[in-house]
Amino acid sequence: MAQNGVTNGSNDSHIPSQRYLSTRGEDTDCSFEEVVLRGLATDGGLYIPEHIPQATAWKSWQDLSFSSLAYEIMSLYISPSEIPSADLKNIVNRSYSTFRSKDVTPLVQLDGNHHLLELFHGPTFAFKDVALQFVGNLFEYFLVRKNEGKTGRDRHHLTVVGATSGDTGSAAIYGLRGKKDVSVFIMFPKGRVSPIQELQMTTVLDKNVHNLSIEGTFDDCQDILKSMLADPEANKPINVGAVNSINWARILAQITYYFHSYFSLVKQSSTFKLGDKVRFVVPTGNFGDILAGYFAMRMGLPVDKLVIATNENDILDRFWKTGKYEKQPAPEDGQDITPEGVKETLSPAMDILVSSNFERLLWFLAYEFAASAGMDDQWNKKQAGQEVSKWLKELKTTGSFGPVYQDVLKCAKRDFDSERVDDSQTLETIQALYKKVGYVLDPHTAVGVAATIRSAANASPDIHHISLSTAHPAKFSGAVEKALTGQEGFDFENKVLPKEFIGLDKKEKRVTEVEGTVSKVRELVKAQVEQELSQA
Ligand SMILES: Cc1ncc(COP(=O)(O)O)c(C=O)c1O
Ligand SMILES: N[C@@H](CCOP(=O)(O)O)C(=O)O
């Protein structure tokens, strides 16, 4: 094995690579490396694998460690001709060695058939670490390989630009800080991330890390990012890459914990057997986390339903109820003005108007609809790409599309349920669970737990629910203290706050305020990268 886990030859290099295509159908036959380094497809769509692999041997994975399981799953999507097996194992092992829990993502029983999947034991205390520790090492791997024997300006330099409502930013920074040949720029909406989230980002002073505070919402930051990625010519000479869940590697890495938690449930519960179906409930914003569950299900994991839990920014919940995807709901009776923009809620990481990964699910729904015509796979794929392009164009120009065909909505409802949880229900859920079992939920997880309680009321009593716990409660002290101050035994400073967060506010910070336009952000990024390269 050479530097940073890159090997030069492999016995398995004859195996053909899994190929990828864009949801808009114009960008096809791409390698895993191209997909990861580009982030967004060249036609503005999102990359998906040409085929969802079947995990025929999934039952034999039940005793594997988290890293070994991740390796097995990823091997089905990344051919050893692209990343030799020994290298992939090395990348995966290094990525999960930074987690505080030996199980990486432990499963905790809350109550009867309700379990909580704790995804916050990584460096930044949020579920994003599971993917971004891996993505950081993956970028490094590809860059080391590309730059072998090259010096100075000949080296390939990657400029990662990210948009965050709080968690992706710090997880990306911790995944990439100090790495060679990479610069990281994270845009966050000024005043709309929690104080701890902002400190987690702005107190990282590595030379390759830059925080940009943008006047506007998360959607504004995401739009700037997408515009930059869609115009590589204007970015020249820098190569812009993505760490948001538009990057396929993010989704891929998240598939592991659906399988892992399923196997943990089999081990922990006397009433749940290998092969039984489970419901996963996922607090949802950009639709990345739950999409990984969809892939797990399509690979063969027995899933009864995937339950989308939204806050008051409920575009997805409205789609599942009406088949219409619209940024703003139509005014209710007696209300003549449609409320404008995103709502600020107690679960700010999900304060999103448009969910970027929903486009990936739309492609699979459109493909299934096309396949019912009985034509061949190529035709179905072409139809799916055209349909998705049409829907997304309509969304861009009118702010909505749909209602989609009844059969498309039927397929969506077969695999998913949806629940909308408002702020008062979020607070009630944090309080009720604390009183019942003494467990402190973060507000995003509470949205999921409230949805689980509703889902359980409508499901067979035998069905087990796994709620995804997406962040540590200390990241959202405002909501947690609002719900629990005065409750017996509640002591935020001494019982909730992890030692890693103490004193963050006293540390030196670095952040730049930037006007929220593509041209201003691009200008700043280019100038900064030029400076970094000239000093390298
Ligand atoms: C704590 C937390 N929960 C839930 C979500 C929603 O996840 P997704 O955007 O993948 O749907 C996010 C942000 O992405 C988050 O930071
Ligand atoms: N909630 C996210 C928003 C960005 O989502 P991503 O999963 O697409 O990166 C955040 O915390 O930044």
Side-chain angles (χ1 to χ4, degrees):
M1 187 160 307
Q3 201 194 355
N4 281 307
V6 180
T7 49
N8 297 324
S10 161
N11 291 338
D12 28 39
S13 56
H14 60 282
I15 300 173
S17 179
Q18 166 84 278
R19 308 298 285 177
Y20 290 82
L21 79 158
S22 161
T23 48
R24 310 243 177 127
E26 298 296 322
D27 187 4
T28 57
D29 197 23
C30 302
S31 70
F32 179 72
E33 180 170 343
E34 284 166 336
V35 161
V36 172
L37 291 180
R38 279 188 205 143
L40 195 71
T42 52
D43 59 4
L46 303 187
Y47 287 115
I48 46 173
E50 276 188 4
H51 302 286
I52 300 182
Q54 292 307 293
T56 42
W58 72 272
K59 287 187 180 172
S60 68
W61 293 343
Q62 64 173 318
D63 292 320
L64 295 181
S65 67
F66 190 92
S67 295
S68 303
L69 184 57
Y71 166 76
E72 291 296 336
I73 291 169
M74 289 174 186
S75 301
L76 298 174
Y77 291 90
I78 310 165
S79 158
S81 61
E82 275 207 70
I83 304 183
S85 306
D87 293 0
L88 184 59
K89 268 188 195 148
N90 181 281
I91 296 170
V92 168
N93 288 339
R94 281 192 292 123
S95 302
Y96 300 118
S97 66
T98 54
F99 279 63
R100 293 178 301 281
S101 164
K102 79 168 175 25
D103 283 342
V104 181
T105 59
L107 187 72
V108 174
Q109 184 185 20
L110 273 189
D111 187 13
N113 290 353
H114 185 183
H115 315 264
L116 204 59
L117 172 56
E118 291 185 344
L119 298 171
F120 53 73
H121 295 282
T124 70
F125 294 79
F127 81 96
K128 312 277 170 155
D129 288 322
V130 178
L132 282 160
Q133 285 290 299
F134 171 73
V135 169
N137 289 326
L138 197 60
F139 280 152
E140 181 180 48
Y141 177 83
F142 287 139
L143 289 170
V144 167
R145 192 160 72 179
K146 269 186 182 304
N147 286 331
E148 225 179 315
K150 294 187 183 153
T151 54
R153 290 291 176 132
D154 284 345
R155 293 182 72 81
H156 186 95
H157 185 91
L158 184 68
T159 301
V160 166
V161 183
T164 190
S165 54
D167 283 338
T168 293
S170 55
I173 287 171
Y174 274 76
L176 289 167
R177 63 188 295 183
K179 293 219 190 288
K180 203 171 164 55
D181 299 315
V182 189
S183 308
V184 195
F185 293 82
I186 299 295
M187 293 179 274
F188 67 87
K190 187 177 169 190
R192 288 176 189 251
V193 301
S194 83
I196 285 281
Q197 286 179 311
E198 184 162 340
L199 287 168
Q200 283 183 299
M201 296 187 277
T202 56
T203 55
V204 176
L205 302 179
D206 297 63
K207 278 204 198 109
N208 70 333
V209 172
H210 310 277
N211 286 290
L212 312 182
S213 169
I214 306 270
E215 197 73 59
T217 63
F218 167 75
D219 291 273
D220 297 328
C221 299
Q222 185 154 259
D223 285 347
I224 294 173
L225 169 66
K226 282 196 168 181
S227 304
M228 281 186 80
L229 289 167
D231 195 354
E233 275 303 309
N235 298 332
K236 273 184 176 165
I238 59 173
N239 306 300
V240 177
V243 273
N244 280 96
S245 57
I246 50 178
N247 194 317
W248 163 250
R250 284 274 310 276
I251 310 298
L252 172 61
Q254 290 173 177
I255 299 173
T256 307
Y257 49 70
Y258 285 89
F259 279 93
H260 192 261
S261 59
Y262 182 96
F263 295 135
S264 300
L265 183 53
V266 173
K267 283 175 204 133
Q268 290 173 15
S269 166
S270 57
T271 58
F272 189 81
K273 305 274 174 284
L274 199 64
D276 287 353
K277 285 192 171 182
V278 67
R279 280 193 186 191
F280 286 100
V281 185
V282 190
T284 303
N286 242 348
F287 207 78
D289 205 2
I290 198 160
L291 187 80
Y294 176 75
F295 274 91
M297 182 173 84
R298 294 284 309 268
M299 288 169 73
L301 188 69
V303 175
D304 179 59
K305 284 269 185 212
L306 295 159
V307 182
I308 298 158
T310 75
N311 66 18
E312 290 161 51
N313 294 296
D314 57 356
I315 183 166
L316 291 165
D317 185 62
R318 285 183 280 113
F319 173 84
W320 257 266
K321 297 208 157 70
T322 64
K324 203 163 172 125
Y325 194 70
E326 52 184 351
K327 285 190 185 176
Q328 297 295 336
E332 282 172 21
D333 285 350
Q335 187 190 357
D336 44 33
I337 305 167
T338 306
E340 273 297 310
V342 74
K343 287 187 191 155
E344 284 190 50
T345 72
L346 293 172
S347 41
M350 306 194 307
D351 288 349
I352 288 173
L353 272 189
V354 173
S355 301
S356 54
N357 283 289
F358 185 53
E359 178 167 346
R360 287 188 165 112
L361 179 70
L362 283 172
W363 188 92
F364 286 101
L365 296 175
Y367 177 91
E368 200 171 329
F369 182 67
S372 62
M375 309 291 275
D376 66 15
D377 186 53
Q378 276 316 100
W379 187 86
N380 300 338
K381 284 189 170 125
K382 196 161 169 238
Q383 287 297 114
Q386 282 173 0
E387 199 63 63
V388 170
S389 302
K390 196 185 86 195
W391 284 329
L392 269 290
K393 201 166 164 195
E394 214 173 311
L395 179 70
K396 196 166 183 183
T397 49
T398 68
S400 73
F401 68 80
V404 295
Y405 306 118
Q406 274 308 310
D407 282 353
V408 169
L409 188 58
K410 215 161 111 193
C411 285
K413 286 186 174 175
R414 179 194 61 208
D415 297 334
F416 294 86
D417 265 352
S418 147
E419 298 287 348
R420 172 193 193 271
V421 176
D422 67 24
D423 271 355
S424 63
Q425 292 157 339
T426 304
L427 291 174
E428 277 164 26
T429 307
I430 297 177
Q431 209 179 85
L433 197 81
Y434 180 76
K435 282 187 181 162
K436 198 168 178 186
V437 294
Y439 193 100
V440 181
L441 294 171
D442 105 278
H444 306 79
T445 307
V447 167
V449 167
T452 299
I453 293 166
R454 288 188 213 156
S455 168
N458 298 320
S460 140
D462 308 333
I463 201 97
H464 284 257
H465 281 75
I466 296 180
S467 294
L468 272 60
S469 176
T470 49
H472 190 285
K475 294 191 89 164
F476 302 97
S477 57
V480 171
E481 290 188 296
K482 196 167 178 180
L484 298 181
T485 298
Q487 294 295 321
E488 203 185 322
F490 175 69
D491 179 346
F492 186 82
E493 298 286 319
N494 293 308
K495 293 193 182 159
V496 182
L497 198 66
K499 65 176 186 327
E500 289 84 345
F501 290 177
I502 297 171
L504 263 188
D505 54 339
K506 310 275 178 320
K507 287 189 165 175
E508 188 183 339
K509 301 166 198 61
R510 190 149 53 81
V511 57
T512 311
E513 293 201 8
V514 192
E515 200 183 298
T517 62
V518 193
S519 56
K520 286 285 174 208
V521 173
R522 185 182 276 128
E523 202 178 292
L524 180 143
V525 170
K526 278 181 162 180
Q528 187 60 47
V529 173
E530 180 51 42
Q531 191 183 329
E532 261 169 61
L533 292 178
S534 63
Q535 288 167 358

